[in-house]
Amino acid sequence: MARYAPEELAADAVPVVRQETTGDAELDWRPLFRHECTFNPVMFQDVMLNLIKNPNINSSWLFRADILHDSKKNTKHGLENPPSELGGVPDIPSFDGFGLSRYMIRRLVPRSTMRDKAMDQTCLIYQSKGTDSESGLQRHLVVYLPHVSSKAEMPFYHPAVRGIAFHHEWSPTETRGSVSLSYLYFEEGERPEKLTRTALHLLQAVYKHGQGRADGYQKRVHHDLLVPQARVQNTYTALKQKYARTLIGSWVESTDPTKHVFEDLCIAAFLIELWTDMYKQSPFPGFVDIGCGNGLLVYILNLEGFKGWGFDARSRKSWATYSTRLETPIGAQESLQQLVLLPPPVSRDGIVEISSEGFREDLVHDGRFPKGTFIISNHADELTPWTPILAAISDCPFIMIPCCSHDLTGARFRAPAPKDKKKANSAYSSLVSWVAQITADCGWVAEQEMLRIPSTRNTAIVGRKRQGNVSAVDIGVIVDRYGGTAGYLETVVKLVKSTNLDEKH
């Protein structure tokens, strides 16, 4: 892709677009930057629609945009008649040489509703009335009009201007064009430096995404496939407001509290909304978090009324705070427990010979859970490839968020490259494809979701639907197919011994 190097236009440059006005009033749309491009009008409109629907691409302060009105879908209102229940909507402007083709109203939703308020904005899409007969140029225009009456009403995340206009000009004969940005200021005068920098950034996003399409880029990452974005983000916001400050302030681990707290709040929000859909007609069956680490996710879910427990091979300092007493069918138990997983497919033959001091069964879990228990495997490392296998054995739905790559023996390894050549040939992509294939072989539909969490390891694989002849699934054959379990028992014995030493000291 060509380097982004726009031309900065002088303060007295000839306006790129002119708004038609009535009377003596004149609205001066001032052009700031222009850049040559090789993406055509279809690509420009596609990019602008994506940016309208996803303002978070341009601002990290924003979650999303809720589309309140779209003339393409709400045909009964027409192009120039927004719904009456939407107040404060500005009049639709006309521009010389352009005709309105689409009218949208969006609500910009900030990440922090405590700091910023949501703001409604009209988004207008125009195209030129035919091709310019002299130059042969095709012109398209997208205009943003915030629903505010003064600069003081503008939220922090939006530039303090009355309007923003993106103009695309295209020569079909030369297959080249340009894209530019203009502001409608609240006040005339010198350009504030902050607004100029923002304009530079906004135009860069259009140029980058447009040129990407022209160069053949195809989107690989697709969000919000299993649960709507708005529901997850609204639940996350509520959880953050309830718990974030207290959890960060009381953090006892040596790791970064903000990363872990916000990440687990995000995952909790996704699970809560996923479970809302899954268990509409039945009671929640409980959950188990295998390889639960610091136990924070278990703690948050229990606070929100979703009862479950977790275990890990070693305890954490935070367990003293996060562990609670749970009532279960077999009696009361701690919500966080120190246990080592020894899955059923791993043979226990020779365990007496391996363990000279005896084998403490109370420190081992066999990986069998009550039918229907929802299994959480969040960055569970060695337990990750075992997750769909354990789920198949106990007939339990699950979520798996892979992180570090281990095989079924517990050893570190590089998973084979994805068979799908459209996927990236990275270590993480290989791991995700590998465990997704295990999931499918175990008789699960491997649904994938890209979680909106502060981590590059953000792919979730959900197994909640069975496929094919489940009774024909042979777990032993699957385990052998993916490398077997040689050495796993020895690793478990070492972990149990180290746990014994920890308790003695």
Side-chain angles (χ1 to χ4, degrees):
M1 183 186 299
R3 184 173 67 91
Y4 178 64
E7 173 192 1
E8 184 171 5
L9 303 175
D12 59 352
V14 176
V16 177
V17 293
R18 296 181 183 277
Q19 183 174 339
E20 296 176 359
T21 58
T22 56
D24 297 329
E26 184 175 343
L27 296 176
D28 194 11
W29 287 83
R30 303 308 308 167
L32 281 85
F33 295 99
R34 176 183 178 277
H35 205 302
E36 293 186 353
C37 66
T38 59
F39 53 91
N40 62 35
V42 173
M43 295 174 183
F44 170 73
Q45 292 181 80
D46 183 42
V47 166
M48 292 309 305
L49 279 175
N50 186 50
L51 292 173
I52 288 171
K53 295 175 181 178
N54 298 282
N56 49 293
I57 293 174
N58 273 323
S59 174
S60 60
W61 299 100
L62 292 171
F63 251 156
R64 66 178 189 276
D66 291 338
I67 304 301
L68 308 180
H69 172 71
D70 185 349
S71 63
K72 190 173 182 179
K73 298 178 180 178
N74 305 88
T75 54
K76 67 178 182 179
H77 294 295
L79 279 178
E80 301 187 16
N81 296 292
S84 57
E85 62 269 19
L86 292 176
V89 180
D91 293 335
I92 296 177
S94 297
F95 293 88
D96 290 348
F98 288 95
L100 183 66
S101 61
R102 192 168 181 178
Y103 178 113
M104 303 173 74
I105 299 177
R106 64 177 180 176
R107 177 161 294 157
L108 300 174
V109 181
R111 285 184 176 275
S112 174
T113 55
M114 304 291 288
R115 181 188 58 232
D116 299 309
K117 63 179 180 179
M119 184 188 75
D120 293 351
Q121 185 182 67
T122 294
C123 301
L124 303 165
I125 301 174
Y126 300 84
Q127 62 184 33
S128 57
K129 298 175 181 178
T131 302
D132 189 301
S133 57
E134 294 184 6
S135 65
L137 296 177
Q138 299 173 355
R139 303 169 67 207
H140 290 77
L141 179 67
V142 175
V143 176
Y144 297 166
L145 298 176
H147 295 191
V148 299
S149 57
S150 68
K151 186 189 300 185
E153 295 179 24
M154 193 70 71
F156 173 79
Y157 53 78
H158 192 283
V161 294
R162 294 168 62 187
I164 306 172
F166 300 89
H167 177 253
H168 182 263
E169 195 173 70
W170 181 254
S171 171
T173 56
E174 298 179 5
T175 62
R176 295 190 64 81
S178 67
V179 62
S180 63
L181 181 143
S182 301
Y183 276 155
L184 178 62
Y185 291 99
F186 277 105
E187 302 170 359
E188 290 298 329
E190 295 184 3
R191 304 176 181 179
E193 183 181 351
K194 181 181 177 181
L195 288 180
T196 302
R197 289 198 308 269
T198 302
L200 192 66
H201 169 75
L202 292 174
L203 187 64
Q204 182 178 23
V206 177
Y207 177 78
K208 173 185 173 182
H209 288 263
Q211 287 300 133
R213 282 164 171 75
D215 294 339
Y217 169 80
Q218 292 185 340
K219 188 175 181 180
R220 287 178 175 174
V221 177
H222 298 276
H223 293 277
D224 316 310
L225 300 177
L226 305 186
V227 183
Q229 175 186 4
R231 282 173 46 194
V232 175
Q233 289 183 335
N234 289 344
T235 299
Y236 168 70
T237 299
L239 294 178
K240 185 172 67 172
Q241 292 174 354
K242 286 171 69 174
Y243 303 122
R245 179 173 295 181
T246 300
L247 291 172
I248 292 172
S250 61
W251 192 255
V252 297
E253 302 290 344
S254 59
T255 50
D256 177 12
T258 55
K259 178 185 184 302
H260 287 276
V261 168
F262 292 134
E263 184 170 323
D264 282 354
L265 288 171
C266 285
I267 295 171
F270 176 79
L271 285 171
I272 288 170
E273 292 304 321
L274 180 72
W275 290 342
T276 298
D277 290 341
M278 289 179 63
Y279 304 110
K280 286 180 179 178
Q281 308 298 328
S282 59
F284 181 66
F287 71 86
V288 59
D289 186 346
I290 64 175
C292 64
N294 58 40
L296 177 57
L297 182 58
V298 173
Y299 181 62
I300 295 168
L301 292 171
N302 278 323
L303 286 177
E304 286 299 297
F306 295 90
K307 298 304 178 183
W309 66 290
F311 66 88
D312 205 292
R314 66 180 183 88
S315 62
R316 308 294 201 277
K317 293 179 182 179
S318 53
W319 286 15
T321 302
Y322 298 156
S323 187
T324 57
R325 297 288 289 177
L326 293 176
E327 291 298 330
T328 72
I330 59 174
Q333 69 173 45
E334 291 294 322
S335 63
L336 299 173
Q337 300 180 34
Q338 186 171 8
L339 294 169
V340 179
L341 181 72
L342 183 57
V346 179
S347 173
R348 298 192 177 206
D349 293 343
I351 196 169
V352 176
E353 291 78 6
I354 297 173
S355 178
S356 58
E357 298 181 9
F359 191 71
R360 286 187 56 182
E361 290 285 349
D362 61 314
L363 295 176
V364 177
H365 196 285
D366 67 1
R368 297 182 186 274
F369 307 105
K371 181 178 179 180
T373 302
F374 194 96
I375 299 174
I376 298 172
S377 174
N378 173 26
H379 294 186
D381 294 344
E382 294 91 340
L383 305 187
T384 298
W386 281 104
T387 305
I389 297 173
L390 299 177
I393 291 172
S394 298
D395 195 9
C396 296
F398 67 91
I399 185 172
M400 170 172 51
I401 307 173
C403 181
C404 300
S405 186
H406 295 79
D407 62 18
L408 292 177
T409 72
R412 293 294 297 267
F413 94 123
R414 172 70 182 255
K419 294 180 180 179
D420 185 352
K421 299 307 177 183
K422 294 180 181 179
K423 296 183 180 297
N425 188 19
S426 65
Y428 186 63
S429 178
S430 298
L431 171 63
V432 170
S433 296
W434 186 66
V435 293
Q437 188 57 57
I438 296 177
T439 299
D441 287 355
C442 287
W444 298 102
V445 176
E447 299 178 279
Q448 290 195 28
E449 181 67 277
M450 302 303 292
L451 301 176
R452 297 176 183 273
I453 59 176
S455 172
T456 56
R457 302 292 194 262
N458 64 336
T459 302
I461 298 173
V462 175
R464 55 178 173 168
K465 303 173 185 176
R466 302 292 271 163
Q467 64 177 348
N469 184 5
V470 177
S471 61
V473 174
D474 189 323
I475 296 298
V477 170
I478 292 172
V479 170
D480 289 341
R481 182 183 303 158
Y482 289 94
T485 64
Y488 192 95
L489 182 63
E490 288 80 358
T491 301
V492 167
V493 170
K494 289 178 182 178
L495 285 170
V496 172
K497 284 184 177 181
S498 66
T499 301
N500 284 335
L501 290 174
D502 290 342
E503 290 181 351
K504 289 176 182 178
H505 294 289

